[in-house]
Amino acid sequence: MSAYESIIFISREVLVYQIPPLRSSKGYCAAEWDVDRPLWRGRLRVLETGADATASRVRCELRLEDNTTGELFASAPYLVTGKGVEQVTDSSRFFVVRVVDGDRHAYLGMGFMERSEALDFNIALQDFKRHANPSAEIIPRSGPHTKEAVKDYSLKEGQTITISLGKGTHVRRSPNPTTKNSALDSGALPFLPPPPSAQQIKDQMRSVTHATEEDDDDDFGDFVS
């Protein structure tokens, strides 16, 4: 695939300053610069480049160029981590950029004439970071590595399980206690006879006693004859 180059931001005039070394861990402060005496002024172009449109191969570069001739004054790579450009702590219009020339690098101040331009510059850098770091976004995946949906294997009401216990022997189990009556009605389990009443028990006892007495009388008659 062919290389591409896209301009994601342009400003016709920015001011560049030589700045003192960083003195505090809190960051750079534009009030310490001589803002009335810029080191250079010219055009800023922010370019997105890459071997192709693959997010892992795109690069971002700030190019400070002469407005008339287009001659390059300095180049500052911008990383997806945010390294390369830092906003000062006391103004929204001023930044510190890390310009690179081969193995050498230096930190320069950069200021915009309008706050709106500084805001657009910030937005362009944030857009590049989102484009170059798609892993920070939720991307649906497809194919063999897609996580399968969880399947519900639980039995629904009214369904039964048939279990084989041997040759021709099957037991049906109902998954829900509420289906017990329907299982009984279908003949899955036999009905138990109701318990005998007290009167029935008395009648049975009388029958047994009467039969015993008749047997005794028959035996005694055979004996005396």
Side-chain angles (χ1 to χ4, degrees), residues 167-178:
K167 296 181 179 180
T169 303
H170 295 80
V171 176
R172 288 186 176 273
R173 294 186 178 180
S174 172
N176 195 328
T178 59

Side-chain angles (χ1 to χ4, degrees), residues 5 19 27 30 59 106 116 156 175 184:
E5 182 178 278
I19 61 176
R59 300 289 183 268
S116 58
K156 306 300 185 292
L184 292 175

Side-chain angles (χ1 to χ4, degrees), residues 46-67:
V46 181
L47 305 179
E48 181 180 301
T49 60
D52 52 48
T54 304
S56 61
R57 298 184 181 182
V58 297
R59 300 289 183 268
C60 184
E61 182 184 19
L62 282 64
R63 295 178 66 89
L64 297 167
E65 302 168 336
D66 186 273
N67 254 328

